[in-house]
Amino acid sequence: MFLLKYRIEWVYLTKKKAEAVLSSDFITLNEAIIFAEDFLNTGRVKELTFFSEDDQSWTLKELKKLTEILVDEPHDVVAYFDGGFQKHTGDAGYGVVIYFTQIKMRYRIRMNEKVEGLDSNNEAEYAAMAYLVDVLHDNDISKQSVIFKGDSQVVLNQLSGEWPCYEEEFNKWLDKIEGKLAELKIKPIYEAIPRKDNDEADKLATQAINGIQINSKSMISEEK
């Protein structure tokens, strides 16, 4: 089941019974239900339909049923990655942090891994992104939109198609990442961020290079 965003389309009636077809932007599932119920409370709505990003149409009853199904599934996923590389030793490390909601609780996964056989810091960034997708798979996160954040503009802009990639070895990493995302049916949203905003993943990558392994999952808050 895709955890996508939804657009509301409704027929609005004026006091003089004139009609206009209105449409919202794509918003989250919960927001769509809240706004739709508010529209209905006006008594001016003749018809109301929802359209998901994968072009399916839904009724309000169907969306409410969907929220009941999804409460047990990981959703609202934001995933960070960073790769580090020591030129004098050839050691590399990945660091990933994943935030998600499940059963009305907000969780955080922190993982890293030390590796050998990479040739540069750039390659470590591609490899870290591939590692992040594998961690999503291992935690049963699939069939939904995921926001990916990192400080490597090259990797994120190439994955989004904004920048071309001419290096054969990097194209292999891009193909691997895109293939795995397609397999998991994840719709990626890429967001390049400043290094200071990626400090969690950066620290994990450095710890991995230094031989400090982290593998944790913790509840960080309760959904209001």
Side-chain angles (χ1 to χ4, degrees), residues 111-159:
M111 292 185 63
N112 64 4
E113 184 173 313
K114 182 177 182 178
V115 292
E116 299 177 349
L118 303 184
D119 295 325
S120 66
N121 191 74
N122 279 342
E123 187 176 14
E125 293 282 9
Y126 290 97
M129 179 64 186
Y131 173 69
L132 171 56
V133 178
D134 286 338
V135 174
L136 293 175
H137 174 265
D138 292 342
N139 286 274
D140 298 320
I141 296 174
S142 63
K143 299 180 181 179
Q144 62 184 286
S145 298
V146 173
I147 300 174
F148 291 97
K149 296 188 178 186
D151 55 68
S152 175
Q153 291 196 33
V154 173
V155 173
L156 294 173
N157 283 323
Q158 287 179 345
L159 283 168

Side-chain angles (χ1 to χ4, degrees), residues 8-37:
I8 311 170
E9 187 174 292
W10 68 102
V11 177
Y12 180 78
L13 299 174
T14 68
K15 288 182 178 180
K16 295 183 178 181
K17 303 303 180 183
E19 297 183 4
V21 178
L22 305 176
S23 179
S24 73
D25 293 330
F26 280 103
I27 54 181
T28 66
L29 175 59
N30 288 335
E31 288 173 334
I33 292 173
I34 291 170
F35 278 113
E37 290 180 332

Side-chain angles (χ1 to χ4, degrees), residues 151-206:
D151 55 68
S152 175
Q153 291 196 33
V154 173
V155 173
L156 294 173
N157 283 323
Q158 287 179 345
L159 283 168
S160 67
E162 294 292 324
W163 294 0
C165 180
Y166 301 108
E167 294 83 357
E168 182 179 351
E169 64 272 25
F170 296 159
N171 270 314
K172 290 179 180 178
W173 284 109
L174 293 173
D175 290 343
K176 179 179 180 180
I177 294 164
E178 290 170 343
K180 190 67 176 182
L181 290 173
E183 178 186 331
L184 294 175
K185 296 183 179 179
I186 285 176
K187 179 180 179 180
I189 301 169
Y190 300 114
E191 184 178 333
I193 58 176
R195 177 168 291 277
K196 64 181 178 62
D197 295 336
N198 201 31
D199 56 340
E200 278 192 294
D202 176 69
K203 182 178 179 180
L204 286 166
T206 300

Side-chain angles (χ1 to χ4, degrees), residues 205-224:
T206 300
Q207 288 175 320
I209 293 174
N210 293 330
I212 303 171
Q213 186 174 7
I214 306 293
N215 185 339
S216 71
K217 176 181 176 181
S218 59
M219 187 185 77
I220 56 175
S221 65
E222 183 174 356
E223 193 177 62
K224 303 298 184 183

Side-chain angles (χ1 to χ4, degrees), residues 6 8 27-40 48 50 59-68:
Y6 298 80
I8 311 170
I27 54 181
T28 66
L29 175 59
N30 288 335
E31 288 173 334
I33 292 173
I34 291 170
F35 278 113
E37 290 180 332
D38 193 60
F39 297 158
L40 292 170
L48 188 148
F50 302 84
T59 65
L60 181 57
K61 183 178 179 180
E62 288 171 336
L63 281 196
K64 287 184 175 180
K65 183 64 177 179
L66 183 60
T67 61
E68 296 174 6

